[in-house]
Amino acid sequence: MTASPTARTTASGTAAATGAGFDGTAASAAYRNALQVIGAVEPRIAEAIGAELADQRASLKLIASENYASPAVLLTMGNWLSDKYAEGTVGHRFYAGCQNVDTVEALAAEHARELFGAPYAYVQPHSGIDANLVAFWAVLAQKVELPALEQAGVRHVNELTDADWATLRRALGDQRMLGMSLDAGGHLTHGFRPNISGKMFEQSSYGTDPRTGLLDYAAVRARAKEFRPLILMAGYSAYPRRVDFAAMREIADEVGATLVVDMAHFAGLVAGKVFTGDFDPVPHAHVVTSTSHKSLRGPRGGFVLAQPEFADAVDRGCPMVLGGPLPQVMAAKAVAFAEARRPAFAAYAQAVVDNAVALADGLRRRGVRLVTDGTDNHLVLLDVSGFGLTGRQAESALLDAGIVTNRNAVPADPQGAWYTSGVRIGTPALTTRGFGAAEFDRVAELIAGVLGGTTPTTTSSGEPSRAKYTLADGLADRTRAAAAELVAAHPLYPGLDLG
Ligand SMILES: *Cc1c(COP(=O)(O)O)cnc(C)c1O
């Protein structure tokens, strides 16, 4: 049901429409002066900041979770808003003098509500993990704590007897979460043991159809009916397809679960109206969590959208699970959301998906196997086992050749979560630089060339190594030069000169 991407035309002139590379001229003097001020205290930090710009500019960045924020977003984060404590919510702070932070937070939340068509937005979470923790504790408060308080005839946990409090604490720790398995593309924060969510919830997973690699909604429903979770999680960090959130909500309703959608990876595609109707999580989920720095192209941070019944519980995120908000980052979120409400952002989001389709087509044509055989979002998951390589070898060989990716498990990965058989790549960052379909086809050619020219080293026992490899003579240098040429043709922050 999610397999067929809608017909898309790749607009020529996309680069111009999306504001390619973000003109950095106006920010040039500000950054030159700032680095001088910083350098006078700790020159090595000023140097590292400058070096990072150079590295970002030189890199063919295909990391699916990364992007480039605009100079406006970046500049908004470096100022005295940072010096203010503002625990609580707008108009209800635990500290005095928060009027400007109130303005900032209210504006960020208003932009988020308008951008996503959400009844309520909470912009304090410092990261995606924090947004999920806020959401999980809001659901626990609403579905477990509130009924317990009502039953005891009290309004506040402090009024419970010690015995009732002990019972409630056990109940809070005895809930279930159903989420997408890690090897199908789910995220560690969706109830997996190494993350605190796995210590809070009894977790069970749904996977993808082993034949097609696609989400199997009938299987999700069957698992949900058996497992009866409090929370049904949807969302992913390595699934290359759309998710039918209307279908997920139906399943949640059938089993009395709360649907929480983590759109950390694809929030930009929701904001840019590429994912609409059944594929837009906002109208269907009880609670939506997200990062702001991935495809959404804002500052590093998180946020939560919710239906009105969860709004009060989400508002308690700080100091429930969050430290004091970062006002400078909330301000930058407001700027990023304002940018995302402009028509140019919708063009950007569409270009991200068009480019991913071009990249997938280019790889497939050159013999690279893809999980689900393609994509309808911003990412492509390569199965490199056909080249006799592990994901780790492919990731390192590509990096040697100037191509930045990350290894990732594929469904039922025989190489496990460390070596893996996959490489995950995405288009948000290079699309921000103005890459179009032709450039991504060239990227596909470079990647396929590196994979085809990489051979695993044979270990002393005669087995192929899972980590070591050799690259064909001159391949790394040739690819590096080609990657550098592509990147040079699409400068990042043109006009930004640190002097
Ligand atoms: C990236 C990601 C997160 C975590 O975001 P951080 O800001 O790194 O904490 C959570 N959930 C999903 C699905 C993600 O992709």
Side-chain angles (χ1 to χ4, degrees):
M1 151 174 354
T2 65
S4 65
T6 50
R8 295 182 184 104
T9 49
T10 304
S12 59
T14 292
T18 53
F22 291 123
D23 187 15
T25 312
S28 220
Y31 277 116
R32 259 203 311 269
N33 294 336
L35 288 180
Q36 220 160 42
V37 173
I38 296 162
V41 181
E42 177 45 288
R44 289 169 298 182
I45 292 296
E47 246 167 64
I49 294 171
E52 183 59 27
L53 176 63
D55 287 355
Q56 298 270 354
R57 279 175 156 168
S59 140
L60 191 73
K61 181 152 83 172
L62 288 161
I63 295 175
S65 53
E66 290 192 8
N67 212 329
Y68 303 106
S70 72
V73 166
L74 296 175
L75 282 167
T76 305
M77 283 188 282
N79 57 65
W80 32 92
L81 284 169
S82 168
D83 294 332
K84 197 70 197 105
Y85 239 121
E87 288 181 351
T89 53
V90 175
H92 304 274
R93 304 289 186 186
F94 293 87
Y95 289 81
C98 291
Q99 56 281 358
N100 301 310
V101 178
D102 278 357
T103 301
V104 161
E105 182 170 355
L107 268 172
E110 181 190 313
H111 277 307
R113 288 193 306 271
E114 292 294 326
L115 177 61
F116 292 104
Y120 165 81
Y122 184 66
V123 297
Q124 291 190 19
H126 309 152
S127 71
I129 285 194
D130 289 12
N132 281 343
L133 267 182
V134 168
F136 299 160
W137 281 104
V139 176
L140 288 169
Q142 198 63 16
K143 303 281 282 289
V144 180
E145 184 177 295
L146 193 62
L149 295 181
E150 278 169 0
Q151 203 187 359
V154 301
R155 300 186 52 141
H156 194 277
V157 283
N158 287 348
E159 297 163 31
L160 288 173
T161 64
D162 286 351
D164 284 349
W165 174 235
T167 305
L168 173 55
R169 284 184 56 235
R170 275 193 295 274
L172 289 168
D174 192 26
Q175 302 299 323
R176 291 176 172 174
M177 170 179 287
L178 178 61
M180 195 178 210
S181 68
L182 279 182
D183 71 349
H187 196 263
L188 211 57
T189 56
H190 300 178
F192 294 93
R193 291 179 188 182
N195 179 256
I196 190 170
S197 57
K199 287 150 176 112
M200 287 163 56
F201 291 99
E202 180 186 349
Q203 201 265 12
S204 180
S205 300
Y206 54 84
T208 45
D209 185 318
R211 227 168 11 89
T212 60
L214 298 174
L215 249 181
D216 174 351
Y217 297 92
V220 177
R221 172 177 284 109
R223 189 73 204 106
K225 282 185 159 165
E226 228 173 289
F227 188 62
R228 298 261 149 198
L230 178 78
I231 294 177
L232 174 60
M233 281 305 293
Y236 53 79
S237 51
Y239 179 66
R241 294 290 173 176
R242 301 187 293 184
V243 173
D244 183 340
F245 297 111
M248 294 301 281
R249 174 58 186 264
E250 233 174 71
I251 294 167
D253 286 346
E254 273 176 50
V255 301
T258 301
L259 178 62
V260 177
V261 175
D262 180 350
M263 63 171 183
H265 251 263
F266 56 89
L269 307 187
V270 179
K273 308 290 184 274
V274 178
F275 289 170
T276 56
D278 293 350
F279 306 101
D280 175 355
V282 179
H284 302 295
H286 295 94
V287 182
V288 175
T289 64
S290 188
T291 61
S292 39
H293 51 271
K294 297 183 183 177
S295 57
L296 192 50
R297 209 161 68 176
R300 189 160 294 282
F303 62 97
V304 178
L305 309 173
Q307 294 302 318
E309 61 172 311
F310 289 98
D312 287 346
V314 172
D315 262 347
R316 294 209 292 272
C318 166
M320 175 75 185
V321 295
L322 299 176
L326 310 174
Q328 77 282 18
V329 181
M330 292 196 294
K333 286 172 195 171
V335 172
F337 294 150
E339 286 176 348
R341 290 181 66 188
R342 295 179 174 175
F345 191 85
Y348 164 72
Q350 187 60 56
V352 164
V353 177
D354 293 340
N355 285 340
V357 170
L359 179 60
D361 288 348
L363 287 164
R364 217 175 21 217
R365 253 190 300 115
R366 294 176 177 95
V368 183
R369 202 189 310 153
L370 306 178
V371 174
T372 79
D373 209 30
T375 180
D376 38 37
N377 58 23
H378 63 296
L379 68 89
V380 179
L381 191 55
L382 286 60
D383 181 345
V384 296
S385 60
F387 292 91
L389 302 172
T390 62
R392 188 175 149 152
Q393 287 164 324
E395 172 195 78
S396 303
L398 287 165
L399 191 62
D400 293 343
I403 302 173
V404 187
T405 67
N406 66 274
R407 69 184 185 277
N408 205 101
V410 301
D413 201 313
Q415 300 288 357
W418 177 252
Y419 290 105
T420 81
S421 301
V423 169
R424 185 189 69 166
I425 54 182
T427 53
L430 292 179
T431 301
T432 294
R433 290 183 77 139
F435 277 48
E439 287 84 355
F440 274 103
D441 189 64
R442 177 81 174 123
V443 171
E445 186 184 357
L446 296 179
I447 290 174
V450 171
L451 295 177
T454 304
T455 315
T457 306
T458 306
T459 62
S460 50
S461 59
E463 296 285 303
S465 166
R466 299 209 281 174
K468 300 206 172 109
Y469 57 89
T470 51
L471 276 160
D473 257 1
L475 179 60
D477 287 343
R478 272 201 312 282
T479 311
R480 258 182 191 289
E485 208 174 290
L486 269 175
V487 159
H490 300 278
L492 177 65
Y493 309 124
L496 178 54
D497 176 12
L498 299 183

